[in-house]
Amino acid sequence: MADTSFRETLIRLRYKWSFQQFVAELLQKRWMEPVVPFTAAVLVILAFAFLIPGYLSVGNIVSTARQFGEFGFVAIAIAVVIISGGIDLSVGSIFAMANFIALMMFNMYELSAPLSIAVTLGAGALMGAVNGMLIGYIGLGAFLTTLVTMLIFRAILNLLILRYSMEMAISTGDSRFWDWLGGGDLLGVPANILALALVAIVGHIFLSRGRPGWYIAAIGANRKAARHAGIPVERHLFLTYVISGVLTALGGVFYAARLNSPSSDTGVGMEVLALTAVVLGGVNLSGGKGSIGQSLIGTTIVLVLINGLVRFGLVGGATSAFLGFMMLLAVGVDVKWSRNRNKAIEKIYVVPSYFKLGARHDIAPDSGSAYALNNRLRDAEAIGLGKLDGPEDVIFDREGNLYCGTREGFIWRFSGKDLETQEIFARTGGRPLGMAFDRDDNLIICVAGMGVYGVRPDRSVYKLTDETTRTFGKVIDDSRLVLADDLDIAPDGKIYFSEATLRYTAQTWATDALEGRGNGRIIVFDPSTGKTRTLLRDQIFPNGVCVSHDGQSVLFALTWACRIERYWIAGPKAGKLETLIADLPGMPDNINRASDGSYWLALVGLRTPAYDLAMEDPGFRTRMIKRIPNDEWLYPNINNGCVVKFDESGKIIETLGDIGGKSHPSVTSMREERGYLYIGGLSNDRIGRVKLSGVDEQWNGPAAYWGERT
């Protein structure tokens, strides 16, 4: 026995924390996408620092930084266009034109530096608008269009240089601000780097936090779907090319201020370098994915490589060939990773742990056990038969109207004599699960994937909370609610609710059972302060939540653990957690108060020997997940449940079942109301009604808990 206990302890410790789970969650993070290129950039810098004496000297760093500042604007410009699903091959020509226009305005026409910059940026916007009009509104192909405009802009530049070269050679402007733009700094940081940092911050906010940025990414991901979603595709494509023109022109301004040279070779090949930079940074060439940070990381790699190769003596064709090879390699990796990233995550995402359930109770009809099954639910009267799709929870208001939520996101209401009047009371926009009425008769609902919402008596829907306190040190951001499941309201108005799992959604929640981990939590929301905080973490699929009759504690179900917990919220035991019922014969779901001071509990499914054994063998479940399709995985039996009644001490009073699940294949909730028990089920097409005996036939849940309406 001692050896067995020691072995179990070792297995528990082995599977308690999983590096595989850490990696799977890490791969899901968006900030992981630039980690590889960022690491590559650091390694390239360290390699050249080791191989080239004086590579990290102040002079070399400042010189490279000034080039980085100018080229960085072009990289950001082309990244924005690529994210939208396009491409801009004209950036090199626009850069050269901006350089020429800036020098012409400042030197020849002797405009002030700010005015010269404004004119140059306007010219960049105009050239970008030409691309945007042809591609966005007329619908021409981006590659061919920008290739043609690249040639046209370059030809115009050559004509202008031929016409004005002599005049520009003898014209010089004088401005301390202009000189500062070209060679000045602030606290040692070059002026163009300061401007680039400001643009990068604004651009990041624009792309990741602003609606136009979301639209641009959506267009790049799927232009047809974006148009069907009502996004003005043409306008935003036009906008991306205008932004590209302005940013490229801004880089040209700093180049003009630094070198004061209107050469016809300016910007030649820059479009290839910019494309190489954004691809090396991890921006997806097919569109829809990328960031400002990734483009700047790629810019760092390209400039460091060019600088290092030049100092090694490789120039001209050798450098271009090397960069071309790097771009080809990056594109290949990007395509392969984009196609297989989700598959890789799926292969390692489900991480089984060791979990041993207690002894199973005998549930045979003739066993004499408190859990002995019967068919008291078999002949339940059907309400809403055929109209309801998965009424997960059912509840009554003070007036005796019946409510339930369905898979379509509807809240149905049944009213009138014998509940014959049926109507859609409200639409939540998500999957409504647990429900409760507050003191003011607002219907409070857990909506899967959205959070906790309310429906006022006038049917208006409002949000209460969709986030909670974030766990320090956790890889995934668990501040957002993923699967708010069930709730109840304490006498002081605080809403206690469960979040069943952080790792799975309303569509894949059953997969959480294969892990046996504490992926859920108990949370409290205080309407008086608007604050939400997490009370209990690492709970094994916490589900039904019920405030006790005296308001001193909260009962909640741990579905896969097959037990009921009690958390004290008031009195001398406040803050203490204890097990109320251990080793249930099935998976517990919702808990609700009964008229006699006891509680009703739904068992959504019954335990099986195969599932119990599988939970003790994480290796078996891991092999199962890897080797067979997910529709053949061994899931818990969640299609043959029952209802049990227990008292304050956890003693089982009675059981109501439907052997074989002919009328109610799954039971996720039940409510006692005026002498009847009403049954809801996640897989049912009806609400069941069963007549109870020996109960208070005038008892109404909300009225008994909150009192009659004043």
Side-chain angles (χ1 to χ4, degrees), residues 75-369:
I76 293 175
I78 204 166
V80 172
V81 173
I82 289 175
I83 292 171
S84 73
I87 195 169
D88 191 351
L89 299 178
S90 66
V91 289
S93 298
I94 294 176
F95 184 88
M97 283 287 291
N99 171 60
F100 179 86
I101 293 170
L103 292 174
M104 174 179 279
M105 295 299 108
F106 182 69
N107 291 330
M108 284 184 55
Y109 293 104
E110 299 182 352
L111 299 181
S112 65
L115 189 55
S116 298
I117 295 171
V119 172
T120 304
L121 297 184
L126 180 61
M127 288 183 280
V130 171
N131 287 330
M133 182 65 69
L134 294 173
I135 296 168
Y137 286 102
I138 297 179
L140 300 182
F143 184 90
L144 184 60
T145 299
T146 56
L147 178 63
V148 171
T149 55
M150 174 188 74
L151 299 175
I152 293 174
F153 295 154
R154 180 66 64 177
I156 294 173
L157 173 66
N158 291 333
L159 292 174
L160 290 173
I161 290 178
L162 185 63
R163 169 66 179 79
Y164 294 103
S165 58
M166 291 298 294
E167 297 178 46
M168 295 188 68
I170 60 175
S171 302
T172 56
D174 184 23
S175 168
R176 294 179 63 183
F177 178 65
W178 185 262
D179 294 339
W180 181 79
L181 290 178
D185 61 72
L186 180 64
L187 301 176
V189 181
N192 55 8
I193 293 294
L194 292 172
L196 180 63
L198 179 61
V199 168
I201 293 171
V202 174
H204 173 74
I205 295 173
F206 173 80
L207 284 178
S208 63
R209 298 294 186 268
R211 192 179 300 274
W214 301 339
Y215 286 172
I216 288 171
I219 292 168
N222 192 320
R223 188 173 299 184
K224 185 176 181 180
R227 182 173 282 109
H228 289 168
I231 296 175
V233 173
E234 292 78 9
R235 184 199 309 165
H236 284 84
L237 287 176
F238 177 81
L239 175 65
T240 59
Y241 284 96
V242 172
I243 291 173
S244 176
V246 171
L247 291 178
T248 303
L250 185 56
V253 167
F254 283 101
Y255 183 86
R258 181 168 66 91
L259 295 181
N260 198 34
S261 171
S263 170
S264 60
D265 293 334
T266 301
V268 172
M270 182 172 280
E271 59 281 337
V272 176
L273 291 178
L275 275 171
T276 305
V278 298
V279 171
L280 287 176
V283 177
N284 195 330
L285 270 179
S286 60
K289 292 180 63 178
S291 67
I292 302 298
Q294 288 175 291
S295 66
L296 294 181
I297 290 171
T299 301
T300 303
I301 296 174
V302 167
L303 288 182
V304 169
L305 283 173
I306 292 175
N307 184 282
L309 293 174
V310 168
R311 297 190 65 170
F312 268 128
L314 296 175
V315 294
T319 303
S320 299
F322 185 80
L323 289 174
F325 171 77
M326 293 296 295
M327 183 176 180
L328 185 63
L329 179 64
V331 170
V333 171
D334 176 65
V335 170
K336 283 291 184 181
W337 178 239
S338 296
R339 288 179 179 176
N340 297 289
R341 176 170 175 264
N342 289 334
K343 292 180 181 178
I345 294 174
E346 288 176 3
K347 288 290 184 182
I348 65 174
Y349 192 76
V350 183
V351 188
S353 67
Y354 177 84
F355 186 79
K356 185 175 182 178
L357 291 163
R360 287 190 309 278
H361 294 273
D362 191 349
I363 59 174
D366 57 353
S367 64
S369 165

Side-chain angles (χ1 to χ4, degrees), residues 59-82:
N60 190 49
I61 291 175
V62 171
S63 175
T64 305
R66 294 197 185 279
Q67 297 175 48
F68 180 87
E70 295 156 6
F71 183 54
F73 290 111
V74 183
I76 293 175
I78 204 166
V80 172
V81 173
I82 289 175

Side-chain angles (χ1 to χ4, degrees), residues 637-683:
N637 174 18
I638 51 176
N639 59 1
N640 188 11
C642 64
V643 175
V644 298
K645 191 177 187 181
F646 64 91
D647 63 16
E648 282 285 351
S649 65
K651 178 183 178 182
I652 304 302
I653 301 173
E654 63 176 314
T655 300
L656 294 79
D658 178 11
I659 299 174
K662 293 186 177 181
S663 296
H664 294 280
S666 71
V667 180
T668 54
S669 66
M670 69 279 105
R671 299 275 180 173
E672 182 180 339
E673 175 72 15
R674 294 179 171 88
Y676 289 89
L677 191 66
Y678 293 80
I679 311 298
L682 194 64
S683 303

